[in-house]
Structure formats: structure tokens, C-alpha cells
Amino acid sequence: MREAAALYYLDDLTMEAVARRLGQSRSGVSRLLKAAREAGIVRIEVRDLSTVATLESQVEEAFDVKARVVHVREPLTDAERLDAVARFAARALADWFGDGMTLGVAWGTTVSAIITHLGDHPLTDATVVQLNGSVTPTMSGRALGAEQIGAIAEAFNATMIPFPVPAFFDFPRTRQMMWQERSVQQVLERQGDADLAVFGVGAIHSPVPSHVYASGYLDEPDRRTLAAQDVVGDVCTVFLRADGSWRDIAINTRASGPTPLELRRIPRRVAVVAAPAKSVALLAALRAGTITELVMDAGTARALLLEARRTVPRASVRAPGVTLR
């Protein structure tokens, strides 16, 4: 498959010429090329350069991040939008993640969608570390996050480092004591040493519910507290207000994920978002300085730019290096 693809796509030979070179029939070469595309050996991308390039440059200029906008044909359902962006992110992840690297992953709906499109891309001395806990009593011990991290590690033949702690502790003191355990400290150190982080952005109000809001991680008192504190979404299960502030939100003292300040220790931080309704939460994540690269569809990009023009953050909470023009 690889040889047929290289001859046809890179050396620009005709299908007949490839067939003669490989001793195959023309139909046999056609099947090889089709299989190569399905296996991820060949990637074909058709981009609406005028729309995509304009949106990418506008997002990069506004937020000082690298942007990749996925062109999707409107109208489409929310599930179809997520699937298209997740497919693009899965292909890109194979390029971002290389030998000897450590990848930090925050579990969630978007990461789950990305996993469905991951092929096998075996690496050497690579590691995948879970960024936030996922255990909750309602799941009877089943750790959703560990399953997702395990699937990614398997796709890349990488070492898996799970984070077997609750998504949210019942008491801040319990979290503080757990963080003193050597086994937990070792995971926290590996998180901070990651070369690359990949995560979605959760939103309180979204047509595609985030796992943290839809899977029993929050009880009704938690939800009322989030509403009272004007929370709009989360990154790695750390909640944010629309202006990007997070430090004084009470539930964050019980959260297992890295704070925006801790997340910024990772040099490359890629957020994958596929929902225009998440524009408020995404803008909050940008204002908190959690993102260096952004993968999203054109509709989400337009909604983000519109939301940024509509609102102005307080100067006191704007993250260093994040400029909103």
C-alpha cells in the first residue's frame, strides 16, 4: 500500500504505470490506494482556502494562537460537526505526537470522538499521561478517563500513565492530602513534563453535552454553585468564568485537573472544539491562557470571533501573552 501510494501520489505515475511497476492489475492498484487512504497512509485534504485562510488569520490575530479551521459543509448536525473536526484532529495528532514525546490528554466528549478516528501509529519511547481524574461513585469504579487514555496509548504503542483519582473530591482537604502521596506526585510530575496536551473545552450549555456535565460527576448543589458563580465552562475539569477567571471558584479547590497556571507549563496546548454554542466557554479558555493551538470548524470560528467582539475582558484577569484586539 505504501509503495503504491508513493508511486501514484508522490512520483505522479499513472495507475497503469504503477500497476506495471508492481506487477499488479489496474484494479488491484486501485484497491491498494483505497486501502492506503483508509489506513491513514494517505491523507487527502480539500480546503476552502478563501474562507478557511481568512478565519485562521483572524483567530490568530485576535488571540495570538495558532489556528486550524476545518471546512465543513453546512447545514449539518452537531454530531456530524464534531465527527468532522475529530477526524481532522486524529490525523493531525499523528503528526504532532512523535518518538520520545509525552502527550497529556484530558478525557471528554471531544477526545472520545477523536479516538474513533485514530489509526495505528506506533512510536518509540512515547508516553500518554492522563491529565485529570475521572473516577466517580456513579460509575461503579469504571474510570472513563483511563479507558480513553488507554485507547490513545494503544494506537501509538505508547506507555500509559493513568491518574486514578476522583474527577472531583468531596473535600478540598482530601485533595490536598492525596496530592502528598508519592504515587500521585509522580503522575503530577509527568503531567508537568508533557511536551503536548490535547483537550476539549466543556460548556455549561452545549448541544453536545460534555461528559463532566452529563455523566454524574456533578450533583445538583454543585450545579447551583456553578450557576451562582457565573461559570460558563471548563478546561480539564477546572471551571472558568467568561472573563477567564478561575482562582476563586470554590469547586476548583476540589478538582483533579491542572489549573490554567499549571497547564501553561506544557509548551504546546491544543484545544479541539466543534460547537458554535461553546464560543463563550472557548473564549474564557483563551482568556485564561490555556490554549496555544486551536482546531475547530468554520462555524465555531465565526461564533468565537463574534463573541470576542461582543465582550471585553477585565484587564485584571487577562492572561499574560493573550491579546484580544
Side-chain angles (χ1 to χ4, degrees), residues 238-281:
V238 173
F239 295 99
L240 308 168
R241 297 188 185 89
D243 60 12
S245 59
W246 53 271
R247 295 177 186 273
D248 60 338
I249 297 174
I251 196 172
N252 286 340
T253 61
R254 301 190 283 111
S256 61
T259 67
L261 190 62
E262 293 166 334
L263 194 59
R264 287 201 292 269
R265 293 184 299 176
I266 301 174
R268 190 175 185 185
R269 306 179 299 277
V270 184
V272 182
V273 185
K278 288 188 175 183
S279 60
V280 175

mmCIF file of all heavy atoms in Angstrom, residues 238-281:
data_model
loop_
_atom_site.group_PDB
_atom_site.id
_atom_site.type_symbol
_atom_site.label_atom_id
_atom_site.label_comp_id
_atom_site.label_asym_id
_atom_site.label_seq_id
_atom_site.Cartn_x
_atom_site.Cartn_y
_atom_site.Cartn_z
ATOM 1 N N VAL A 238 -11.421 22.071 35.313
ATOM 2 C CA VAL A 238 -11.245 23.288 36.103
ATOM 3 C C VAL A 238 -12.161 24.344 35.492
ATOM 4 O O VAL A 238 -12.061 24.644 34.299
ATOM 5 C CB VAL A 238 -9.782 23.762 36.116
ATOM 6 C CG1 VAL A 238 -9.657 25.113 36.809
ATOM 7 C CG2 VAL A 238 -8.902 22.731 36.819
ATOM 8 N N PHE A 239 -13.053 24.903 36.314
ATOM 9 C CA PHE A 239 -14.119 25.752 35.803
ATOM 10 C C PHE A 239 -13.666 27.198 35.625
ATOM 11 O O PHE A 239 -12.814 27.713 36.357
ATOM 12 C CB PHE A 239 -15.332 25.681 36.736
ATOM 13 C CG PHE A 239 -15.951 24.311 36.761
ATOM 14 C CD1 PHE A 239 -15.672 23.416 37.788
ATOM 15 C CD2 PHE A 239 -16.789 23.898 35.736
ATOM 16 C CE1 PHE A 239 -16.226 22.146 37.799
ATOM 17 C CE2 PHE A 239 -17.348 22.633 35.735
ATOM 18 C CZ PHE A 239 -17.069 21.760 36.768
ATOM 19 N N LEU A 240 -14.296 27.857 34.637
ATOM 20 C CA LEU A 240 -13.930 29.217 34.243
ATOM 21 C C LEU A 240 -15.163 30.095 34.141
ATOM 22 O O LEU A 240 -16.236 29.627 33.764
ATOM 23 C CB LEU A 240 -13.232 29.207 32.878
ATOM 24 C CG LEU A 240 -12.049 28.265 32.667
ATOM 25 C CD1 LEU A 240 -11.698 28.206 31.191
ATOM 26 C CD2 LEU A 240 -10.863 28.710 33.498
ATOM 27 N N ARG A 241 -14.973 31.364 34.450
ATOM 28 C CA ARG A 241 -15.980 32.374 34.121
ATOM 29 C C ARG A 241 -15.703 32.903 32.721
ATOM 30 O O ARG A 241 -14.654 32.633 32.127
ATOM 31 C CB ARG A 241 -15.941 33.522 35.124
ATOM 32 C CG ARG A 241 -16.271 33.122 36.551
ATOM 33 C CD ARG A 241 -16.406 34.374 37.426
ATOM 34 N NE ARG A 241 -16.618 34.012 38.829
ATOM 35 C CZ ARG A 241 -15.626 33.820 39.701
ATOM 36 N NH1 ARG A 241 -14.361 33.976 39.306
ATOM 37 N NH2 ARG A 241 -15.887 33.490 40.950
ATOM 38 N N ALA A 242 -16.622 33.696 32.201
ATOM 39 C CA ALA A 242 -16.483 34.204 30.839
ATOM 40 C C ALA A 242 -15.243 35.067 30.670
ATOM 41 O O ALA A 242 -14.670 35.138 29.580
ATOM 42 C CB ALA A 242 -17.734 34.998 30.439
ATOM 43 N N ASP A 243 -14.798 35.729 31.722
ATOM 44 C CA ASP A 243 -13.622 36.582 31.624
ATOM 45 C C ASP A 243 -12.316 35.809 31.805
ATOM 46 O O ASP A 243 -11.235 36.385 31.795
ATOM 47 C CB ASP A 243 -13.693 37.732 32.636
ATOM 48 C CG ASP A 243 -13.767 37.254 34.089
ATOM 49 O OD1 ASP A 243 -13.535 36.053 34.340
ATOM 50 O OD2 ASP A 243 -14.052 38.080 34.970
ATOM 51 N N GLY A 244 -12.395 34.500 31.978
ATOM 52 C CA GLY A 244 -11.199 33.678 32.130
ATOM 53 C C GLY A 244 -10.759 33.457 33.560
ATOM 54 O O GLY A 244 -9.798 32.728 33.811
ATOM 55 N N SER A 245 -11.428 34.057 34.531
ATOM 56 C CA SER A 245 -11.039 33.883 35.934
ATOM 57 C C SER A 245 -11.452 32.504 36.442
ATOM 58 O O SER A 245 -12.448 31.938 36.010
ATOM 59 C CB SER A 245 -11.656 34.978 36.807
ATOM 60 O OG SER A 245 -13.068 34.955 36.717
ATOM 61 N N TRP A 246 -10.692 31.976 37.400
ATOM 62 C CA TRP A 246 -10.930 30.637 37.912
ATOM 63 C C TRP A 246 -10.484 30.452 39.365
ATOM 64 O O TRP A 246 -10.951 29.548 40.055
ATOM 65 C CB TRP A 246 -10.174 29.613 37.060
ATOM 66 C CG TRP A 246 -8.714 29.927 36.920
ATOM 67 C CD1 TRP A 246 -8.141 30.702 35.950
ATOM 68 C CD2 TRP A 246 -7.643 29.507 37.776
ATOM 69 N NE1 TRP A 246 -6.776 30.784 36.144
ATOM 70 C CE2 TRP A 246 -6.441 30.059 37.256
ATOM 71 C CE3 TRP A 246 -7.578 28.719 38.935
ATOM 72 C CZ2 TRP A 246 -5.209 29.852 37.866
ATOM 73 C CZ3 TRP A 246 -6.344 28.505 39.533
ATOM 74 C CH2 TRP A 246 -5.174 29.061 38.998
ATOM 75 N N ARG A 247 -9.608 31.305 39.859
ATOM 76 C CA ARG A 247 -8.970 31.074 41.156
ATOM 77 C C ARG A 247 -9.958 31.026 42.316
ATOM 78 O O ARG A 247 -9.771 30.250 43.259
ATOM 79 C CB ARG A 247 -7.924 32.165 41.424
ATOM 80 C CG ARG A 247 -6.755 32.144 40.456
ATOM 81 C CD ARG A 247 -5.809 33.297 40.732
ATOM 82 N NE ARG A 247 -4.742 33.411 39.768
ATOM 83 C CZ ARG A 247 -3.576 32.760 39.852
ATOM 84 N NH1 ARG A 247 -3.337 31.978 40.876
ATOM 85 N NH2 ARG A 247 -2.657 32.912 38.916
ATOM 86 N N ASP A 248 -11.000 31.848 42.310
ATOM 87 C CA ASP A 248 -11.900 31.935 43.459
ATOM 88 C C ASP A 248 -13.196 31.157 43.253
ATOM 89 O O ASP A 248 -14.170 31.372 43.977
ATOM 90 C CB ASP A 248 -12.210 33.400 43.776
ATOM 91 C CG ASP A 248 -12.875 34.125 42.610
ATOM 92 O OD1 ASP A 248 -12.727 33.658 41.460
ATOM 93 O OD2 ASP A 248 -13.522 35.157 42.849
ATOM 94 N N ILE A 249 -13.232 30.257 42.277
ATOM 95 C CA ILE A 249 -14.396 29.393 42.092
ATOM 96 C C ILE A 249 -14.246 28.197 43.028
ATOM 97 O O ILE A 249 -13.286 27.422 42.928
ATOM 98 C CB ILE A 249 -14.515 28.946 40.621
ATOM 99 C CG1 ILE A 249 -14.749 30.161 39.728
ATOM 100 C CG2 ILE A 249 -15.650 27.934 40.453
ATOM 101 C CD1 ILE A 249 -14.731 29.856 38.243
ATOM 102 N N ALA A 250 -15.167 28.058 43.958
ATOM 103 C CA ALA A 250 -14.996 27.131 45.083
ATOM 104 C C ALA A 250 -14.737 25.697 44.651
ATOM 105 O O ALA A 250 -13.865 25.012 45.205
ATOM 106 C CB ALA A 250 -16.229 27.198 45.975
ATOM 107 N N ILE A 251 -15.463 25.208 43.657
ATOM 108 C CA ILE A 251 -15.343 23.798 43.289
ATOM 109 C C ILE A 251 -13.961 23.469 42.728
ATOM 110 O O ILE A 251 -13.520 22.316 42.760
ATOM 111 C CB ILE A 251 -16.448 23.402 42.278
ATOM 112 C CG1 ILE A 251 -16.561 21.868 42.196
ATOM 113 C CG2 ILE A 251 -16.202 24.018 40.915
ATOM 114 C CD1 ILE A 251 -17.737 21.399 41.381
ATOM 115 N N ASN A 252 -13.233 24.464 42.243
ATOM 116 C CA ASN A 252 -11.900 24.202 41.691
ATOM 117 C C ASN A 252 -10.906 23.730 42.761
ATOM 118 O O ASN A 252 -9.892 23.123 42.427
ATOM 119 C CB ASN A 252 -11.359 25.446 40.985
ATOM 120 C CG ASN A 252 -12.044 25.694 39.658
ATOM 121 O OD1 ASN A 252 -12.651 24.782 39.079
ATOM 122 N ND2 ASN A 252 -11.955 26.916 39.160
ATOM 123 N N THR A 253 -11.194 24.021 44.029
ATOM 124 C CA THR A 253 -10.317 23.522 45.098
ATOM 125 C C THR A 253 -10.486 22.010 45.290
ATOM 126 O O THR A 253 -9.688 21.385 45.988
ATOM 127 C CB THR A 253 -10.616 24.228 46.426
ATOM 128 O OG1 THR A 253 -11.979 23.963 46.821
ATOM 129 C CG2 THR A 253 -10.419 25.740 46.291
ATOM 130 N N ARG A 254 -11.540 21.441 44.676
ATOM 131 C CA ARG A 254 -11.784 20.001 44.757
ATOM 132 C C ARG A 254 -11.531 19.288 43.430
ATOM 133 O O ARG A 254 -11.684 18.077 43.330
ATOM 134 C CB ARG A 254 -13.226 19.739 45.196
ATOM 135 C CG ARG A 254 -13.580 20.349 46.541
ATOM 136 C CD ARG A 254 -14.923 19.858 47.033
ATOM 137 N NE ARG A 254 -16.064 20.475 46.388
ATOM 138 C CZ ARG A 254 -16.913 19.868 45.563
ATOM 139 N NH1 ARG A 254 -16.721 18.583 45.266
ATOM 140 N NH2 ARG A 254 -17.933 20.508 45.037
ATOM 141 N N ALA A 255 -11.171 20.040 42.389
ATOM 142 C CA ALA A 255 -10.990 19.461 41.055
ATOM 143 C C ALA A 255 -9.633 18.788 40.922
ATOM 144 O O ALA A 255 -8.651 19.208 41.528
ATOM 145 C CB ALA A 255 -11.140 20.552 39.995
ATOM 146 N N SER A 256 -9.571 17.744 40.119
ATOM 147 C CA SER A 256 -8.331 16.979 39.964
ATOM 148 C C SER A 256 -7.480 17.447 38.789
ATOM 149 O O SER A 256 -6.306 17.092 38.697
ATOM 150 C CB SER A 256 -8.660 15.494 39.766
ATOM 151 O OG SER A 256 -9.448 15.319 38.594
ATOM 152 N N GLY A 257 -8.057 18.225 37.876
ATOM 153 C CA GLY A 257 -7.317 18.624 36.689
ATOM 154 C C GLY A 257 -6.361 19.777 36.945
ATOM 155 O O GLY A 257 -6.458 20.468 37.966
ATOM 156 N N PRO A 258 -5.413 20.004 36.033
ATOM 157 C CA PRO A 258 -4.468 21.105 36.185
ATOM 158 C C PRO A 258 -5.158 22.452 36.030
ATOM 159 O O PRO A 258 -6.026 22.620 35.168
ATOM 160 C CB PRO A 258 -3.457 20.872 35.058
ATOM 161 C CG PRO A 258 -4.237 20.113 34.026
ATOM 162 C CD PRO A 258 -5.181 19.244 34.786
ATOM 163 N N THR A 259 -4.796 23.400 36.861
ATOM 164 C CA THR A 259 -5.316 24.762 36.718
ATOM 165 C C THR A 259 -4.726 25.380 35.454
ATOM 166 O O THR A 259 -3.732 24.882 34.906
ATOM 167 C CB THR A 259 -4.925 25.622 37.925
ATOM 168 O OG1 THR A 259 -3.489 25.799 37.917
ATOM 169 C CG2 THR A 259 -5.356 24.975 39.233
ATOM 170 N N PRO A 260 -5.296 26.465 34.962
ATOM 171 C CA PRO A 260 -4.685 27.150 33.809
ATOM 172 C C PRO A 260 -3.217 27.486 34.035
ATOM 173 O O PRO A 260 -2.406 27.377 33.114
ATOM 174 C CB PRO A 260 -5.540 28.410 33.673
ATOM 175 C CG PRO A 260 -6.891 27.978 34.141
ATOM 176 C CD PRO A 260 -6.611 27.052 35.302
ATOM 177 N N LEU A 261 -2.863 27.865 35.267
ATOM 178 C CA LEU A 261 -1.469 28.183 35.566
ATOM 179 C C LEU A 261 -0.586 26.947 35.429
ATOM 180 O O LEU A 261 0.510 27.002 34.859
ATOM 181 C CB LEU A 261 -1.366 28.753 36.980
ATOM 182 C CG LEU A 261 -0.018 29.357 37.389
ATOM 183 C CD1 LEU A 261 0.327 30.541 36.508
ATOM 184 C CD2 LEU A 261 -0.043 29.765 38.858
ATOM 185 N N GLU A 262 -1.060 25.806 35.921
ATOM 186 C CA GLU A 262 -0.304 24.559 35.815
ATOM 187 C C GLU A 262 -0.263 24.054 34.379
ATOM 188 O O GLU A 262 0.749 23.533 33.912
ATOM 189 C CB GLU A 262 -0.919 23.507 36.734
ATOM 190 C CG GLU A 262 -0.768 23.836 38.219
ATOM 191 C CD GLU A 262 -1.647 22.982 39.111
ATOM 192 O OE1 GLU A 262 -2.701 22.491 38.634
ATOM 193 O OE2 GLU A 262 -1.303 22.815 40.292
ATOM 194 N N LEU A 263 -1.371 24.218 33.678
ATOM 195 C CA LEU A 263 -1.441 23.760 32.291
ATOM 196 C C LEU A 263 -0.445 24.507 31.408
ATOM 197 O O LEU A 263 0.106 23.939 30.454
ATOM 198 C CB LEU A 263 -2.869 23.947 31.766
ATOM 199 C CG LEU A 263 -3.241 23.240 30.458
ATOM 200 C CD1 LEU A 263 -3.068 21.732 30.580
ATOM 201 C CD2 LEU A 263 -4.683 23.574 30.080
ATOM 202 N N ARG A 264 -0.188 25.763 31.743
ATOM 203 C CA ARG A 264 0.725 26.570 30.928
ATOM 204 C C ARG A 264 2.181 26.097 31.033
ATOM 205 O O ARG A 264 3.032 26.570 30.274
ATOM 206 C CB ARG A 264 0.611 28.050 31.312
ATOM 207 C CG ARG A 264 -0.681 28.686 30.835
ATOM 208 C CD ARG A 264 -0.555 30.193 30.752
ATOM 209 N NE ARG A 264 -0.424 30.841 32.036
ATOM 210 C CZ ARG A 264 -1.439 31.293 32.759
ATOM 211 N NH1 ARG A 264 -2.682 31.143 32.321
ATOM 212 N NH2 ARG A 264 -1.228 31.896 33.922
ATOM 213 N N ARG A 265 2.472 25.155 31.930
ATOM 214 C CA ARG A 265 3.819 24.577 31.967
ATOM 215 C C ARG A 265 4.071 23.707 30.740
ATOM 216 O O ARG A 265 5.221 23.451 30.376
ATOM 217 C CB ARG A 265 4.009 23.736 33.227
ATOM 218 C CG ARG A 265 4.017 24.542 34.526
ATOM 219 C CD ARG A 265 4.302 23.634 35.705
ATOM 220 N NE ARG A 265 3.294 22.583 35.860
ATOM 221 C CZ ARG A 265 3.337 21.612 36.769
ATOM 222 N NH1 ARG A 265 4.363 21.539 37.605
ATOM 223 N NH2 ARG A 265 2.382 20.707 36.841
ATOM 224 N N ILE A 266 3.005 23.229 30.108
ATOM 225 C CA ILE A 266 3.131 22.392 28.912
ATOM 226 C C ILE A 266 3.268 23.324 27.712
ATOM 227 O O ILE A 266 2.403 24.164 27.473
ATOM 228 C CB ILE A 266 1.906 21.478 28.761
ATOM 229 C CG1 ILE A 266 1.770 20.576 30.003
ATOM 230 C CG2 ILE A 266 2.013 20.639 27.492
ATOM 231 C CD1 ILE A 266 0.512 19.735 30.016
ATOM 232 N N PRO A 267 4.345 23.216 26.941
ATOM 233 C CA PRO A 267 4.608 24.218 25.906
ATOM 234 C C PRO A 267 3.596 24.256 24.771
ATOM 235 O O PRO A 267 3.311 25.336 24.231
ATOM 236 C CB PRO A 267 6.006 23.835 25.387
ATOM 237 C CG PRO A 267 6.191 22.405 25.781
ATOM 238 C CD PRO A 267 5.435 22.222 27.051
ATOM 239 N N ARG A 268 3.054 23.104 24.402
ATOM 240 C CA ARG A 268 2.114 23.063 23.272
ATOM 241 C C ARG A 268 0.787 22.525 23.770
ATOM 242 O O ARG A 268 0.687 21.370 24.192
ATOM 243 C CB ARG A 268 2.671 22.175 22.159
ATOM 244 C CG ARG A 268 1.897 22.256 20.864
ATOM 245 C CD ARG A 268 2.577 21.437 19.769
ATOM 246 N NE ARG A 268 1.903 21.604 18.500
ATOM 247 C CZ ARG A 268 2.218 20.934 17.383
ATOM 248 N NH1 ARG A 268 3.223 20.062 17.410
ATOM 249 N NH2 ARG A 268 1.556 21.143 16.266
ATOM 250 N N ARG A 269 -0.259 23.359 23.705
ATOM 251 C CA ARG A 269 -1.553 23.012 24.288
ATOM 252 C C ARG A 269 -2.635 23.187 23.221
ATOM 253 O O ARG A 269 -2.977 24.315 22.848
ATOM 254 C CB ARG A 269 -1.835 23.896 25.504
ATOM 255 C CG ARG A 269 -0.705 23.855 26.534
ATOM 256 C CD ARG A 269 -0.961 24.744 27.726
ATOM 257 N NE ARG A 269 -1.096 26.160 27.405
ATOM 258 C CZ ARG A 269 -0.084 27.004 27.231
ATOM 259 N NH1 ARG A 269 1.171 26.572 27.306
ATOM 260 N NH2 ARG A 269 -0.307 28.277 26.964
ATOM 261 N N VAL A 270 -3.158 22.073 22.744
ATOM 262 C CA VAL A 270 -4.084 22.080 21.615
ATOM 263 C C VAL A 270 -5.500 21.818 22.104
ATOM 264 O O VAL A 270 -5.785 20.772 22.693
ATOM 265 C CB VAL A 270 -3.697 21.017 20.572
ATOM 266 C CG1 VAL A 270 -4.625 21.106 19.361
ATOM 267 C CG2 VAL A 270 -2.242 21.200 20.137
ATOM 268 N N ALA A 271 -6.389 22.765 21.855
ATOM 269 C CA ALA A 271 -7.814 22.592 22.161
ATOM 270 C C ALA A 271 -8.553 22.246 20.876
ATOM 271 O O ALA A 271 -8.322 22.864 19.833
ATOM 272 C CB ALA A 271 -8.393 23.861 22.772
ATOM 273 N N VAL A 272 -9.427 21.264 20.955
ATOM 274 C CA VAL A 272 -10.236 20.847 19.811
ATOM 275 C C VAL A 272 -11.693 21.125 20.162
ATOM 276 O O VAL A 272 -12.216 20.593 21.140
ATOM 277 C CB VAL A 272 -10.030 19.353 19.496
ATOM 278 C CG1 VAL A 272 -10.845 18.952 18.269
ATOM 279 C CG2 VAL A 272 -8.541 19.049 19.283
ATOM 280 N N VAL A 273 -12.341 21.977 19.367
ATOM 281 C CA VAL A 273 -13.701 22.424 19.692
ATOM 282 C C VAL A 273 -14.555 22.380 18.427
ATOM 283 O O VAL A 273 -14.147 22.875 17.372
ATOM 284 C CB VAL A 273 -13.699 23.856 20.267
ATOM 285 C CG1 VAL A 273 -15.104 24.247 20.712
ATOM 286 C CG2 VAL A 273 -12.725 23.957 21.432
ATOM 287 N N ALA A 274 -15.751 21.816 18.549
ATOM 288 C CA ALA A 274 -16.626 21.683 17.389
ATOM 289 C C ALA A 274 -18.066 21.969 17.781
ATOM 290 O O ALA A 274 -18.924 21.091 17.730
ATOM 291 C CB ALA A 274 -16.507 20.280 16.790
ATOM 292 N N ALA A 275 -18.338 23.204 18.199
ATOM 293 C CA ALA A 275 -19.700 23.601 18.566
ATOM 294 C C ALA A 275 -19.758 25.116 18.691
ATOM 295 O O ALA A 275 -19.154 25.672 19.614
ATOM 296 C CB ALA A 275 -20.132 22.949 19.874
ATOM 297 N N PRO A 276 -20.444 25.795 17.784
ATOM 298 C CA PRO A 276 -20.576 27.253 17.918
ATOM 299 C C PRO A 276 -21.144 27.667 19.267
ATOM 300 O O PRO A 276 -20.797 28.734 19.791
ATOM 301 C CB PRO A 276 -21.533 27.617 16.766
ATOM 302 C CG PRO A 276 -21.298 26.553 15.741
ATOM 303 C CD PRO A 276 -21.058 25.301 16.538
ATOM 304 N N ALA A 277 -21.990 26.814 19.864
ATOM 305 C CA ALA A 277 -22.579 27.134 21.168
ATOM 306 C C ALA A 277 -21.539 27.166 22.275
ATOM 307 O O ALA A 277 -21.807 27.686 23.363
ATOM 308 C CB ALA A 277 -23.666 26.114 21.509
ATOM 309 N N LYS A 278 -20.342 26.644 22.023
ATOM 310 C CA LYS A 278 -19.271 26.675 23.024
ATOM 311 C C LYS A 278 -18.412 27.939 22.926
ATOM 312 O O LYS A 278 -17.374 28.022 23.590
ATOM 313 C CB LYS A 278 -18.367 25.450 22.867
ATOM 314 C CG LYS A 278 -19.008 24.134 23.307
ATOM 315 C CD LYS A 278 -17.975 23.013 23.300
ATOM 316 C CE LYS A 278 -18.557 21.721 23.861
ATOM 317 N NZ LYS A 278 -17.531 20.657 23.920
ATOM 318 N N SER A 279 -18.822 28.903 22.120
ATOM 319 C CA SER A 279 -17.972 30.077 21.889
ATOM 320 C C SER A 279 -17.671 30.843 23.174
ATOM 321 O O SER A 279 -16.556 31.345 23.360
ATOM 322 C CB SER A 279 -18.618 31.010 20.854
ATOM 323 O OG SER A 279 -19.885 31.462 21.307
ATOM 324 N N VAL A 280 -18.646 30.949 24.088
ATOM 325 C CA VAL A 280 -18.415 31.671 25.344
ATOM 326 C C VAL A 280 -17.378 30.935 26.193
ATOM 327 O O VAL A 280 -16.448 31.542 26.725
ATOM 328 C CB VAL A 280 -19.738 31.837 26.122
ATOM 329 C CG1 VAL A 280 -19.485 32.480 27.478
ATOM 330 C CG2 VAL A 280 -20.721 32.686 25.321
ATOM 331 N N ALA A 281 -17.535 29.611 26.319
ATOM 332 C CA ALA A 281 -16.583 28.825 27.098
ATOM 333 C C ALA A 281 -15.210 28.810 26.439
ATOM 334 O O ALA A 281 -14.173 28.881 27.120
ATOM 335 C CB ALA A 281 -17.109 27.396 27.267
#
